[in-house]
């Protein structure tokens, strides 16, 4: 691109015909003058990184509550790891790396404190008013709740980034607008009225890279955290096809290697195997379907970025193993139960008396309809970090679980 700054570099490399082209972006809800030094997708990525919501991920639970140890993953470190894998996939498939990275970095913005435990508790509390969905909440954060700019609420991200955020796991509706997995969350339906994200079609190749990168990251790094916590052992993993086969090879090559380094060798090799499998499988899908544009990817009627059939079976087996032995472990479930009660207690207090919330959140809620009040309370609660939720509970209640 040549402009008044000269012929500067944008980090471009030849993109495939099916990649999302930032020069042809569908734009933003609010028109802005384009940056002379960054593509629209690079600008999205930068806005996401500089947002308050991104910083809060530092103290939000992935599997283990943040204060249980400095080395456990948080939503922030998980998002960074997902972004690294998403960029690697997009690079290999000749997609737009910046868009893949942006979707990966923003995908968990709507998560509550205490991980899925907080989401489940908040969903039940919000049942009378449409429930709570972390993906829909991510959209609320980037289109309404972040307040940094003079001319609009939210981050005013491009259509492609928002599409990827909302649909990275696939379409939400059929061609007639009926939800494929139940009613589409209200936040997404509300935004759809302003900015059509084509909820019945697949997202672009970059968002699909971010989605499968999420699976690869947590399937691998949750093992690492489980080993660190002592809830999993290397011997337990021997019976699981994918990590078991890798572990066998590591032990044959390094018979005297200590368990910690053996675990790290397992992690790095598992990521490599899964990433390379996705590249091979997706390349075959692309050769079969032959999409000649980003729109052709959206209209293909299937996910392009995928595991091979064999690895998909292994991945499903690994997820089942982690669910049984890690996510449902008695120690994790005990902490989850206590965290669940903290979220419920806070919701009840704020809903009964919005004056318990800080300035900027409580104004006008004492006269608001229950629907409006409940959604505002959910917005406030969902934005909390683990540490802030614990602090608030201690302020408002005589006893607060220590979650240790």
């Amino acid at each position: 691109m040549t402009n008044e700054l000269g012929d500067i570099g944008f980090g471009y490399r030849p993109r495939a015909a099916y990649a999302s082209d930032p020069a042809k972006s569908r734009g933003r809800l609010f028109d802005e003058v384009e940056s002379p030094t960054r593509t629209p997708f690079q600008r999205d990525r930068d806005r996401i990184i500089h947002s308050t919501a991104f910083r809060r991920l530092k103290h939000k639970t992935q599997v283990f509550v943040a204060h249980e140890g400095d080395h456990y993953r948080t939503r922030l470190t998980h998002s960074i790891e997902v972004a690294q894998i998403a960029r690697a996939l997009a690079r290999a498939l000749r997609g737009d790396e910046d868009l893949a990275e942006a979707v990966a970095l923003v995908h968990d913005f709507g998560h509550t404190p205490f991980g899925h435990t907080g989401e489940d508790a908040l969903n039940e509390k919000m049942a009378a008013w449409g429930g709570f969905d972390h993906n829909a909440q991510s959209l609320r954060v980037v289109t309404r709740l972040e307040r940094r700019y003079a001319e609009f609420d939210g981050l005013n991200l491009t259509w492609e980034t928002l599409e990827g955020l909302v649909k990275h796991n696939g379409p939400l509706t059929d061609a007639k607008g009926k939800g494929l997995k139940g009613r589409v969350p209200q936040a997404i339906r509300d935004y759809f009225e302003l900015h059509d994200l084509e909820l019945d079609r697949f997202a672009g190749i970059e968002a699909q890279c971010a989605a499968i990168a999420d699976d690869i990251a947590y399937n691998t790094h949750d093992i690492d955290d489980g080993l660190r916590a002592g809830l999993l052992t290397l011997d337990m993993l021997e019976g699981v096809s994918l990590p078991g086969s890798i572990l066998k090879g590591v032990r044959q090559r390094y018979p005297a290697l200590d368990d910690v380094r053996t675990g790290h060798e397992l992690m790095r090799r598992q990521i490599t195997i899964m990433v390379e499998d996705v590249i091979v499988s997706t390349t075959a899908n692309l050769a079969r379907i032959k999409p000649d544009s980003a729109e052709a990817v959206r209209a293909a009627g299937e996910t392009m970025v995928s595991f091979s059939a064999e690895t998909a079976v292994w991945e499903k087996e690994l997820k089942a193993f982690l669910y049984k032995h890690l996510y449902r472990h008695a120690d994790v479930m005990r902490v989850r139960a206590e965290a669940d009660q903290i979220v419920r207690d806070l919701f009840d207090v704020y809903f009964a008396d919005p004056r318990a919330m800080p300035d900027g959140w409580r104004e006008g809620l004492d006269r608001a309809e229950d629907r409006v009040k409940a959604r505002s309370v959910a917005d406030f609660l969902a934005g909390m970090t683990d540490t802030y939720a614990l602090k608030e509970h201690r302020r408002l209640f005589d006893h607060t679980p220590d979650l240790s």
Side-chain angles (χ1 to χ4, degrees):
M1 174 183 274
T2 302
N3 54 32
E4 63 273 16
L5 297 177
D7 187 13
I8 66 172
F10 283 80
Y12 286 160
R13 57 190 299 275
R15 292 189 192 84
Y18 51 75
S20 298
D21 185 347
K24 298 177 182 178
S25 170
R26 297 197 195 182
R28 307 174 189 275
L29 181 61
F30 301 99
D31 289 336
E32 296 184 60
V33 176
E34 289 299 337
S35 168
T37 59
R38 294 174 292 168
T39 73
F41 302 152
Q42 288 170 345
R43 203 174 183 188
D44 281 0
R45 184 266 324 280
D46 296 347
R47 288 183 176 190
I48 289 163
I49 288 174
H50 288 283
S51 69
T52 303
F54 185 72
R55 294 194 296 277
R56 284 200 300 261
L57 296 177
K58 176 183 178 183
H59 294 293
K60 288 197 176 191
T61 294
Q62 179 65 17
V63 175
F64 297 97
V65 177
H67 71 262
E68 291 186 84
D70 291 339
H71 295 159
Y72 292 116
R73 268 103 183 153
T74 65
R75 287 286 165 190
L76 179 61
T77 55
H78 168 69
S79 296
I80 293 170
E81 290 166 343
V82 174
Q84 179 268 315
I85 296 171
R87 282 198 78 113
L89 291 171
R91 184 180 306 119
L93 298 170
R94 294 189 296 129
D96 188 282
E97 295 178 39
D98 301 306
L99 178 56
E101 182 181 22
V103 175
L105 291 172
V106 79
H107 83 283
D108 270 353
F109 267 24
H111 265 294
T112 63
F114 313 122
H116 288 287
T117 298
E119 179 176 12
D120 292 344
L122 204 48
N123 185 45
E124 289 189 23
K125 285 295 182 181
M126 290 293 295
W129 304 285
F132 179 89
D133 174 85
H134 80 266
N135 203 41
Q137 189 67 19
S138 294
L139 183 66
R140 281 181 66 80
V141 170
V142 300
T143 59
R144 299 185 61 176
L145 300 179
E146 279 284 328
R147 290 166 184 162
R148 308 175 61 84
Y149 299 95
E151 297 185 357
F152 47 79
D153 289 338
L155 303 180
N156 200 31
L157 304 176
T158 62
W159 184 93
E160 289 80 6
T161 299
L162 293 176
E163 179 216 29
L165 168 60
V166 169
K167 301 188 304 184
H168 59 274
N169 287 322
L172 301 186
T173 72
D174 61 19
K176 296 181 179 180
K178 181 179 179 181
L180 297 177
K181 296 181 180 179
R183 185 174 173 82
V184 176
Q186 186 66 45
I188 296 176
R189 288 187 283 122
D190 288 345
Y191 191 79
F192 176 81
E193 295 299 320
L194 301 173
H195 206 184
D196 183 0
L197 297 178
E198 300 179 354
L199 302 181
D200 62 327
R201 304 215 299 169
F202 283 82
I205 201 86
E206 295 83 5
Q208 294 184 34
C209 287
I212 206 162
D214 187 26
D215 290 337
I216 293 170
Y218 73 71
N219 278 331
T220 304
H221 295 136
D222 287 357
I223 292 177
D224 191 24
D225 283 349
L227 291 170
R228 186 182 303 278
L231 305 186
L232 302 179
T233 66
L234 294 174
D235 289 345
M236 291 170 65
L237 293 166
E238 288 180 348
V240 186
S241 298
L242 180 57
S245 63
I246 299 169
L247 190 59
K248 181 179 179 180
V250 172
R251 284 175 163 166
Q252 286 178 344
R253 183 167 182 177
Y254 306 105
L257 196 63
D258 64 82
D259 283 354
V260 172
R261 294 198 188 208
T262 299
H264 287 309
E265 284 293 321
L266 167 62
M267 297 306 108
R268 61 189 289 266
R269 290 163 189 247
Q270 181 168 301
I271 290 175
T272 298
I273 287 172
M274 297 181 89
V275 166
E276 292 179 352
D277 178 86
V278 169
I279 293 169
V280 171
S281 177
T282 304
T283 300
N285 291 337
L286 292 166
R288 171 174 54 85
I289 299 170
K290 296 181 174 60
D292 58 2
S293 66
E295 295 310 303
V297 173
R298 296 184 173 96
E302 64 179 271
T303 301
M304 298 261 187
V305 183
S306 66
F307 294 115
S308 65
E310 182 179 34
T311 301
V313 171
W314 290 347
E315 196 255 354
K316 185 176 181 180
E317 178 194 10
L318 177 54
K319 279 182 176 176
F321 169 84
L322 290 172
Y323 184 85
K324 178 180 179 180
H325 295 284
L326 182 59
Y327 309 139
R328 309 300 291 182
H329 189 282
D331 290 350
V332 174
M333 293 303 294
R334 177 187 60 79
V335 174
R336 286 193 63 171
E338 293 174 337
D340 176 273
Q341 192 59 52
I342 289 172
V343 173
R344 292 173 184 274
D345 288 345
L346 290 175
F347 183 94
D348 290 343
V349 166
Y350 298 141
F351 186 76
D353 183 7
R355 292 173 298 177
M357 295 193 292
D359 293 342
W361 288 98
R362 62 192 180 193
E363 283 74 12
L365 290 185
D366 54 337
R367 300 180 300 278
E369 299 178 9
D370 283 354
R371 172 184 59 83
V372 174
K373 183 166 61 173
R375 188 57 62 184
S376 294
V377 170
D379 286 341
F380 178 52
L381 250 175
M384 288 184 179
T385 61
D386 297 3
T387 49
Y388 185 68
L390 287 165
K391 179 181 177 182
E392 277 290 277
H393 197 276
R394 293 188 187 105
R395 180 177 71 87
L396 296 167
F397 293 90
D398 293 333
H399 172 72
T400 296
D402 62 11
L403 302 188
S404 61

